[in-house]
């Protein structure tokens, strides 16, 4: 029996079909993959701390100690911040009538006097009725059975979210417990000829990624504290919410500053009116925050961890947002840090090739 070679077309077609089927199956399993992916990321972030503690105790005890420290820290943080946030949320809710009056008396009057648009008048009662109409239109609360269906669906969604909250720590524990063995199995699977290079690149990516994540988290927390303390000292009732929100949003260049500044100015106008002293203090507070971020926090905590220019940083954030939305904005800079390391290694390899040195040309450019 003569073995006939497979036609290259059918071989390529088989590979393409296999890739498409694999991607489709991954898409179907996305709800299952997401908890594992979140757990893997958390394990990657917590592994350095667990590794240090495991030098003194067993690894599973070190993981439990880390879990206990994180849980206690979250409880203390919530115990301190929840009452203050609740008070400030109540103050924000009390501003709603003022916002509606300002809209009716200033915004509507200006549009009526200067444009052809006639904006509708808003009242607290009318706003609540509009909200109920919207809920009835979009969620169809027309009868008791539909209403119960919506409640059951919401309950199932809550149960799934609660299950996810319980499942992720368990998966993270198993990832952490077998972290070193898993890395060793991956290392053994690398072809011997490329093992040293792959390990060097992976270690460099790991150093850049961890340094960036630690530095960025510290910058966000410290910047949020700087904004919040200044706004509270000024006397702004929503100072903590606005300040911490601006700090958290600072992972995107200038987003935290812009959102925080606009929110602080609006809150100042409703609390103090058109008071130039308080407005000047708020402007000064955000200028101090920007100066602290640009000249102290980022140089000391981040330095040049990514190695990208500000233009590329902004491009990476916008590209991530356009591809994956808010999640893309979150992961844009860490992914850019890894891609930057890979690009530098690829560029160094390119400069060592005969093609770069002029000893060889691509077939497309060879003279015949």
């Amino acid at each position: 029996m003569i073995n006939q070679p497979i036609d290259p077309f059918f071989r390529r077609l088989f590979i393409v079909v296999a890739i498409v089927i694999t991607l489709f199956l991954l898409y179907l399993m996305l709800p299952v993959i997401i908890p594992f992916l979140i757990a893997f990321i958390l394990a990657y972030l917590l592994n350095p701390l667990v590794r240090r503690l495991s030098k003194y105790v067993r690894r599973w005890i070190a993981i439990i100690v880390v879990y206990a420290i994180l849980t206690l820290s979250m409880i203390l943080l919530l115990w301190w911040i929840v009452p203050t946030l609740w008070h400030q949320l109540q103050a924000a809710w009390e501003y709603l009538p003022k916002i509606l009056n300002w809209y009716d008396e200033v915004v509507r009057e200006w549009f009526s006097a200067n444009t052809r648009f006639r904006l509708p008048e808003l009242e607290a009662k009318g706003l609540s009725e509009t909200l109920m109409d919207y809920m009835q239109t979009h969620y169809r609360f027309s009868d008791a059975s539909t209403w119960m269906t919506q409640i059951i669906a919401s309950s199932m969604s809550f149960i799934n979210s609660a299950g996810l909250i319980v499942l992720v720590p368990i998966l993270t524990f198993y990832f952490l417990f077998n972290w070193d063995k898993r890395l060793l199995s991956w290392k053994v699977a690398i072809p011997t000829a490329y093992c040293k290079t792959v390990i060097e690149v992976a270690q460099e990516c790991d150093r850049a990624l961890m340094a960036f994540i630690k530095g960025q988290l510290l910058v966000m927390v410290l910047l949020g504290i700087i904004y919040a303390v200044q706004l509270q000292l000024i006397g702004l009732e929503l100072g903590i919410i606005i300040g911490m929100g601006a700090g958290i949003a600072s992972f995107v260049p200038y987003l935290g500053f812009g959102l925080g500044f606009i929110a602080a100015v609006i809150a100042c106008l409703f609390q103090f009116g058109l008071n130039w002293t308080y407005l000047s203090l708020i402007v000064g507070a955000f200028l101090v925050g920007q100066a602290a971020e640009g000249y102290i926090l980022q140089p000391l905590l981040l330095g040049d961890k990514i190695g990208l220019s500000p233009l590329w940083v902004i491009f990476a954030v916008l590209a991530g947002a356009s591809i994956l939305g808010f999640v893309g904005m979150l992961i844009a800079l860490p992914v850019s840090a890894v891609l930057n390391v890979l690009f530098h290694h690829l560029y160094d390899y390119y400069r060592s090739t005969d093609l770069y040195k002029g000893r060889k040309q691509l077939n497309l450019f060879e003279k015949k």
Side-chain angles (χ1 to χ4, degrees):
M1 182 176 181
I2 300 176
N3 293 328
Q4 296 182 351
I6 301 176
D7 191 293
F9 170 78
F10 291 103
R11 183 186 292 113
R12 294 164 186 164
L13 180 62
F14 174 78
I15 294 173
V16 171
V17 171
I19 292 174
V20 171
I21 293 175
T22 303
L23 293 176
F24 180 69
L25 291 176
L26 290 176
Y27 173 76
L28 294 178
M29 293 189 297
L30 195 60
V32 180
I33 295 173
I34 287 177
F36 285 84
L37 181 60
I38 295 174
F40 178 80
I41 294 173
L42 291 175
Y44 172 76
L45 296 175
L46 297 176
N47 183 62
L49 183 58
V50 173
R51 182 178 297 169
R52 291 182 181 180
L53 291 177
S54 62
K55 296 179 180 178
Y56 309 100
V57 294
R58 293 179 178 271
R59 189 171 180 86
W60 65 272
I61 298 178
I63 298 173
I64 294 176
V65 170
V66 171
Y67 272 34
I69 293 174
L70 291 176
T71 303
L72 183 60
S73 301
M74 291 296 297
I75 292 174
L76 292 176
L77 180 62
L78 292 175
W79 176 75
W80 171 74
I81 203 171
V82 164
T84 305
L85 288 178
W86 178 250
H87 172 72
Q88 296 202 349
L89 286 174
Q90 286 181 323
W93 180 255
E94 292 175 357
Y95 281 130
L96 181 60
K98 297 181 181 180
I99 295 173
L100 295 179
N101 290 334
W102 176 76
Y103 166 80
D104 290 332
E105 298 175 1
V106 178
V107 177
R108 286 184 68 251
E109 293 297 331
W110 186 90
F111 270 89
S112 299
N114 297 278
T115 67
R116 297 181 179 178
F117 293 103
R118 296 295 180 267
L119 298 178
E121 185 176 358
L122 292 181
E123 297 179 358
K125 182 180 179 181
L127 186 63
S128 61
E129 293 176 354
T130 302
L131 181 62
M132 288 301 299
D133 292 340
Y134 175 85
M135 296 291 289
Q136 291 177 358
T137 301
H138 289 79
Y139 294 95
R140 298 179 182 176
F141 295 144
S142 56
D143 51 30
S145 60
T146 307
W147 185 63
M148 289 300 298
T149 303
Q150 292 290 337
I151 292 179
I152 293 173
S154 301
S155 302
M156 292 303 297
S157 177
F158 174 78
I159 292 172
N160 291 333
S161 300
L164 182 65
I165 294 174
V166 175
L167 180 61
V168 168
I170 297 174
L171 297 175
T172 304
F173 180 89
Y174 284 109
F175 273 122
L176 284 170
F177 188 74
N178 297 316
W179 190 267
D180 293 334
K181 293 181 180 179
R182 189 169 290 105
L183 287 182
L184 181 61
S185 64
W186 291 350
K187 179 180 178 181
V188 172
I190 300 174
T192 307
Y194 306 102
C195 185
K196 182 178 178 181
T197 303
V198 171
I199 291 176
E200 289 179 356
V201 173
Q203 289 176 344
E204 190 172 341
C205 290
D206 175 64
R207 287 193 296 268
L209 191 57
M210 289 302 297
F212 168 74
I213 291 174
K214 292 177 182 177
Q216 186 63 46
L217 288 176
L218 284 174
V219 168
M220 290 164 58
V221 172
L222 294 177
L223 190 60
I225 292 174
I226 291 172
Y227 283 137
V229 169
Q230 290 185 104
L231 295 178
Q232 283 294 104
L233 291 177
I234 291 172
L236 200 65
E237 293 183 359
L238 304 179
I240 291 181
I241 292 179
I242 295 174
M244 297 306 296
I248 294 172
S250 64
F251 67 90
V252 179
Y254 306 109
L255 178 64
F257 171 80
L259 293 180
F261 180 74
I262 294 172
V265 169
I266 293 174
C268 177
L269 291 175
F270 286 113
Q271 183 176 347
F272 304 111
L274 191 59
N275 190 312
W276 293 106
T277 301
Y278 284 102
L279 288 174
S280 301
L281 289 174
I282 288 175
V283 171
F286 277 89
L287 290 178
V288 169
Q290 276 295 100
E293 180 185 9
Y295 296 102
I296 299 175
L297 297 180
Q298 285 193 352
L300 291 179
L301 300 176
L302 280 175
D304 193 20
K305 299 297 187 300
I306 306 181
L308 298 176
S309 66
L311 288 176
W312 278 110
V313 169
I314 296 174
F315 172 79
V317 172
L318 295 178
S322 65
I323 296 174
L324 294 176
F326 181 74
V327 177
M329 294 175 67
L330 286 175
I331 66 174
L333 294 183
V335 170
S336 298
V338 174
L339 291 178
N340 184 54
V341 173
L342 297 177
F343 174 78
H344 280 294
H345 280 276
L346 183 62
Y347 181 69
D348 291 339
Y349 170 76
Y350 163 70
R351 295 190 63 180
S352 66
T353 60
D354 292 336
L355 177 64
Y356 174 78
K357 296 178 181 179
R359 300 171 186 169
K360 184 179 180 181
Q361 290 185 342
L362 296 175
N363 295 332
L364 182 63
F365 301 106
E366 288 182 351
K367 295 180 179 180
K368 297 182 180 180

